[in-house]
Amino acid sequence: MVIVFKYFKLTCIIHCYIYIPCWCFYVKRKSVMSIKEMDSIKHVIPWRNGQKQVLKFNGCKPKKYTNSCHTYSFFEELQCLRKEEVLCDIRLETDDGTIICGHKVVLVAACPYFRAMFSSFAEGAKYVVNIRELDSNILQLLIDYIYTGKITVTEQNIMDLLPASMLLQLDYVKCVCVEFLKKQLNLSNCLGIKEFADFYNCTELLSSSEEYIKTHFLKFIETDDFLSLSSEEVISLISSDDINVPFEENIFECVINWVRHEEDCRYDSLPKLMEHVRLSLASQEYISKNVDEEPLIKNNPKCRDFVNEALNFHIVKKHRHITMPQTIRNTPRQTGLKFLLAMCDSSGMGNCYTSWYDPATKLLHKTIKMNMEFELCALVLIKDHLVFALGNSYINLISIEMLDLSAQSLQWKPTVDMLVDRSFYGVGVIDDRIYAVGGDIIGDSQLSSAEVFDVSVQEWRFIPNMSTGRMNLGVAVLDNLLYVVGGYKYPFALKSVECYDPTLNIWIPVTQMSTNRRGPGIGVLDGVIYAIGGDCQEYDDSMYLKSVEAYTPITKVWSSIADMHLCRSDPRVVTFNGLLYVMGGSDGSSQLGSLEIYDPNTNTWTMEPLPTSGDEIHGAVIIDMPSHLRSY
């Protein structure tokens, strides 16, 4: 029995030393063969009777197969080997003595930090490596991530996990940590997150936290965190051009509150702070009553200089022939700009009111009621602070009201009526003059007449008639020319275009559009006129449009651009930050509670909600928002 066992053992050893190396050589030889070599080999298989049969193929091309479960199974098995400490060749020891095992080849392949450590430093030859100043639980999470691709981020570990992921250069973990913190931003932690991001030089998180503070500026300055800022930090905040502040009075008041919080040690910083308050943007009345009478300002000569500069700015502004030098203290902040909307409610009673839309927060707010008994035709802005609301004519009545944004008490006031009772006319502004063109009179035909309102003398006068009568037309102003686009003349929608030259006092024909458009939205951006949507009515049938075409005066050609997402007739259009905002309008069945934004650089449209409760938008202008229009 013993002899038989020894013979069996010897046989096994011989097989191991002879057959296994031969098989490995065969596998190795096979692995290095080229595709061409492999294709040249005749494929044979044994036949049932022991004879070999040559297989014939149809000349099919090689096909690549991928096992989708392979990677997952592979790393799952590696993780099991690590937990069981099988073939582990590295032990990571943290400050608290915790040992975490791993495979160098896996760590090197997945982590730039370990690649540098094991390939360029003495640690490459060590079996135990000390990882200093890194929490053992965090390191365990990150090593588990390397082996599994999974990471759990919590409120408890995020403040340690983010810097650790940056140390180990695990970009995916860093990104998810940043996203986690961005979603947690609020008024109570935004400053802390900003300082945390700044300390660890996490630029993306730093930018997001700064943006949050700027966007929620009015709420942030009410917190204790704001009062704890240094003078340099306050200056950095209030000097931002894109800070979301509706009016400059807020900036002045927050500076005064910050100084008063610790007046003894902060008073000397007041002039440096006031240098970044754009006092010229505040109303003259506010400067005289509030800023000029502020005790902290009265006794400070340098601050008095800023007050006098602001008051002088308002005096010079009233005289158009005097040019005021442009400085940072009289330049409007970007996010102070809002869309002022004239809206008519959906009750059918013709009740009009004013709303404003904030493109930074994407919120719509109702503000002042308009004392108008009928629908509006348009809103226009004159001299940056005078908003005119022009109404449609019903029962032979035209109403035009004006809102002075610079006044301390805001209310719509009646002004001079037009010479002709018009409805559904077009409106444009050139050199602070309002042009009203076309339209119709109830029960009468479409009008070709036009008139202009000189704000300085408060007087309307006629200008020459257009070549054709039209209502529901679009109006654009470009290079001091007034373009009228499309419209409707019974029984057809129009594609014709003409423009008025105020210096020559004549109408000039312009290349017609490719599509008939009644009620197109009109936008002007970077020297290009956009005719947006509308409907091509013929007799009693209408087809609502989402198509858009653009006209360049240099080439005198209309060209099609990308379609909007929705069909829109009579939308309102404003240009803001190099984009076209197209709001509201009708699709033939209802008023649209949305807006679309066109980017000319990418020729694309994006959609955003605009909660109008079914109310119709009749006018839109961009204004520098004063505090009085805020309803909250």
Side-chain angles (χ1 to χ4, degrees):
M1 183 67 181
V2 175
I3 295 173
V4 172
F5 176 77
K6 288 183 176 180
Y7 175 77
F8 176 76
K9 182 177 180 182
L10 179 62
T11 303
C12 292
I13 292 173
I14 292 173
H15 276 76
C16 290
Y17 276 87
I18 296 178
Y19 286 100
I20 290 179
C22 290
W23 172 252
C24 292
F25 174 79
Y26 175 74
V27 171
K28 182 178 180 182
R29 175 75 182 109
K30 293 283 286 184
S31 66
V32 299
M33 291 176 68
S34 68
I35 296 295
K36 184 176 181 181
E37 289 175 322
M38 295 175 68
D39 286 343
S40 66
I41 296 176
K42 292 183 178 180
H43 300 273
V44 294
I45 60 172
W47 199 246
R48 288 184 178 179
N49 60 7
Q51 295 181 351
K52 294 181 179 180
Q53 179 69 35
V54 177
L55 294 182
K56 295 181 179 180
F57 293 93
N58 296 324
C60 58
K61 294 181 180 180
K63 184 175 179 59
K64 186 177 182 179
Y65 296 89
T66 301
N67 182 353
S68 59
C69 299
H70 174 73
T71 302
Y72 174 78
S73 300
F74 179 76
F75 277 95
E76 190 176 48
E77 186 62 29
L78 281 176
Q79 176 74 331
C80 292
L81 291 174
R82 184 177 75 86
K83 289 184 176 180
E84 296 171 5
E85 299 188 20
V86 176
L87 299 177
C88 289
D89 54 358
I90 186 65
R91 294 164 66 87
L92 306 175
E93 184 177 1
T94 58
D95 289 336
D96 62 0
T98 300
I99 298 292
I100 301 172
C101 296
H103 306 89
K104 284 183 181 179
V105 66
V106 175
L107 300 183
V108 166
C111 178
Y113 175 84
F114 288 119
R115 184 182 306 129
M117 174 184 287
F118 296 138
S119 61
S120 303
F121 298 97
E123 285 84 356
K126 295 181 179 180
Y127 180 55
V128 178
V129 173
N130 295 320
I131 305 295
R132 301 297 183 191
E133 299 180 0
L134 197 60
D135 183 87
S136 58
N137 293 322
I138 297 300
L139 181 59
Q140 182 69 65
L141 277 176
L142 293 175
I143 299 300
D144 285 342
Y145 162 75
I146 289 174
Y147 277 81
T148 65
K150 299 176 183 178
I151 191 74
T152 300
V153 183
T154 68
E155 294 180 3
Q156 289 71 36
N157 68 23
I158 182 64
M159 304 304 281
D160 294 319
L161 188 59
L162 176 55
S165 67
M166 295 177 68
L167 173 66
L168 269 58
Q169 302 174 53
L170 296 173
D171 291 339
Y172 176 81
V173 180
K174 173 190 172 183
C175 288
V176 297
C177 287
V178 169
E179 285 302 312
F180 183 88
L181 283 175
K182 284 165 65 174
K183 291 180 179 179
Q184 303 302 315
L185 280 167
N186 58 50
L187 290 170
S188 66
N189 67 23
C190 57
L191 183 61
I193 291 177
K194 173 182 175 296
E195 293 173 344
F196 173 77
D198 191 27
F199 181 81
Y200 287 106
N201 195 29
C202 186
T203 55
E204 182 182 354
L205 184 59
L206 178 62
S207 177
S208 296
S209 55
E210 288 176 339
E211 186 65 27
Y212 182 91
I213 292 173
K214 292 176 185 178
T215 301
H216 300 84
F217 176 79
L218 292 181
K219 295 293 183 182
F220 176 71
I221 59 177
E222 297 175 358
T223 66
D224 292 338
D225 280 346
F226 170 73
L227 296 176
S228 70
L229 295 178
S230 66
S231 61
E232 290 79 12
E233 289 172 322
V234 174
I235 289 173
S236 176
L237 179 59
I238 66 174
S239 63
S240 301
D241 194 44
D242 58 345
I243 193 170
N244 188 26
V245 57
F247 63 114
E248 202 64 22
E249 288 90 331
N250 288 126
I251 303 292
F252 171 74
E253 290 166 5
C254 82
V255 166
I256 296 301
N257 289 339
W258 181 86
V259 172
R260 282 179 180 160
H261 184 66
E262 294 180 3
E263 187 173 332
D264 291 344
C265 60
R266 293 180 174 181
Y267 178 75
D268 290 342
S269 301
L270 185 57
K272 292 182 180 179
L273 294 167
M274 287 299 298
E275 185 177 352
H276 299 279
V277 179
R278 305 181 187 187
L279 271 184
S280 299
L281 304 182
S283 70
Q284 187 174 359
E285 184 179 1
Y286 181 87
I287 297 171
S288 299
K289 289 185 177 181
N290 298 81
V291 182
D292 201 25
E293 297 298 321
E294 168 58 46
L296 292 175
I297 300 295
K298 266 188 171 183
N299 302 319
N300 193 309
K302 181 60 178 176
C303 292
R304 293 291 313 161
D305 291 341
F306 294 133
V307 175
N308 294 332
E309 177 190 56
L311 290 172
N312 186 52
F313 175 82
H314 282 278
I315 294 172
V316 172
K317 191 176 179 181
K318 294 178 181 178
H319 301 279
R320 294 181 59 187
H321 62 280
I322 301 178
T323 302
M324 187 72 177
Q326 190 78 14
T327 69
I328 190 62
R329 287 187 294 279
N330 57 37
T331 302
R333 299 177 191 269
Q334 291 179 2
T335 55
L337 300 176
K338 307 290 186 288
F339 302 168
L340 180 65
L341 307 180
M343 307 185 69
C344 183
D345 66 32
S346 55
S347 65
M349 303 301 293
N351 296 319
C352 294
Y353 62 90
T354 310
S355 287
W356 60 272
Y357 174 75
D358 184 348
T361 61
K362 301 179 181 179
L363 296 176
L364 183 70
H365 304 276
K366 181 181 289 189
T367 55
I368 304 169
K369 285 282 185 179
M370 281 189 179
N371 299 319
M372 301 185 74
E373 299 176 356
F374 41 78
E375 293 181 351
L376 295 174
C377 182
L379 285 184
V380 295
L381 181 66
I382 302 291
K383 296 182 178 180
D384 297 328
H385 68 99
L386 299 177
V387 181
F388 286 82
L390 296 92
N392 273 323
S393 171
Y394 292 97
I395 59 171
N396 296 324
L397 176 67
I398 278 286
S399 180
I400 302 175
E401 297 190 352
M402 184 188 74
L403 178 67
D404 186 351
L405 298 175
S406 65
Q408 193 68 19
S409 177
L410 294 183
Q411 58 180 347
W412 291 93
K413 297 179 180 180
T415 185
V416 182
D417 291 340
M418 289 185 209
L419 301 174
V420 176
D421 296 334
R422 305 172 188 272
S423 295
F424 308 109
Y425 50 97
V427 178
V429 176
I430 301 177
D431 291 335
D432 294 336
R433 291 178 173 86
I434 303 172
Y435 290 82
V437 295
D440 78 336
I441 298 176
I442 294 180
D444 205 341
S445 60
Q446 285 73 52
L447 299 170
S448 61
S449 65
E451 51 190 299
V452 60
F453 179 66
D454 191 329
V455 176
S456 60
V457 297
Q458 293 285 296
E459 182 179 87
W460 288 92
R461 62 176 175 84
F462 285 114
I463 62 173
N465 290 356
M466 296 181 290
S467 63
T468 183
R470 59 183 86 211
M471 62 180 288
N472 287 114
L473 62 152
V475 173
V477 173
L478 179 60
D479 296 331
N480 283 329
L481 297 176
L482 186 79
Y483 289 80
V484 293
V485 181
Y488 175 78
K489 184 176 183 181
Y490 182 82
F492 304 111
L494 303 173
K495 64 170 69 173
S496 62
V497 182
E498 52 189 307
C499 76
Y500 174 72
D501 186 339
T503 59
L504 301 177
N505 196 32
I506 59 172
W507 289 92
I508 304 168
V510 176
T511 308
Q512 67 179 12
M513 296 180 290
S514 61
T515 303
N516 301 63
R517 298 179 187 271
R518 182 184 76 158
I522 303 295
V524 177
L525 179 62
D526 296 332
V528 178
I529 299 173
Y530 294 84
I532 302 165
D535 65 81
C536 46
Q537 179 168 352
E538 183 174 344
Y539 294 97
D540 295 328
D541 296 325
S542 293
M543 183 175 72
Y544 288 80
L545 304 170
K546 60 181 176 181
S547 64
V548 184
E549 48 190 309
Y551 176 76
T552 305
I554 296 176
T555 62
K556 302 185 184 325
V557 173
W558 287 93
S559 56
S560 296
I561 64 169
D563 288 353
M564 293 183 291
H565 294 276
L566 302 177
C567 297
R568 296 176 187 268
S569 182
D570 286 315
R572 301 301 157 179
V573 183
V574 295
T575 302
F576 183 72
N577 282 348
L579 304 171
L580 285 178
Y581 283 70
V582 181
M583 298 171 286
S586 171
D587 62 2
S589 59
S590 62
Q591 294 299 317
L592 299 173
S594 64
L595 65 84
E596 300 194 40
I597 304 171
Y598 176 70
D599 186 342
N601 296 317
T602 60
N603 190 30
T604 56
W605 293 89
T606 55
M607 289 274 292
E608 286 186 7
L610 187 66
T612 60
S613 303
D615 295 356
E616 186 173 358
I617 301 175
H618 285 275
V621 292
I622 297 178
I623 65 169
D624 186 16
M625 200 69 172
S627 62
H628 319 82
L629 290 180
R630 293 188 298 122
S631 58
Y632 63 99

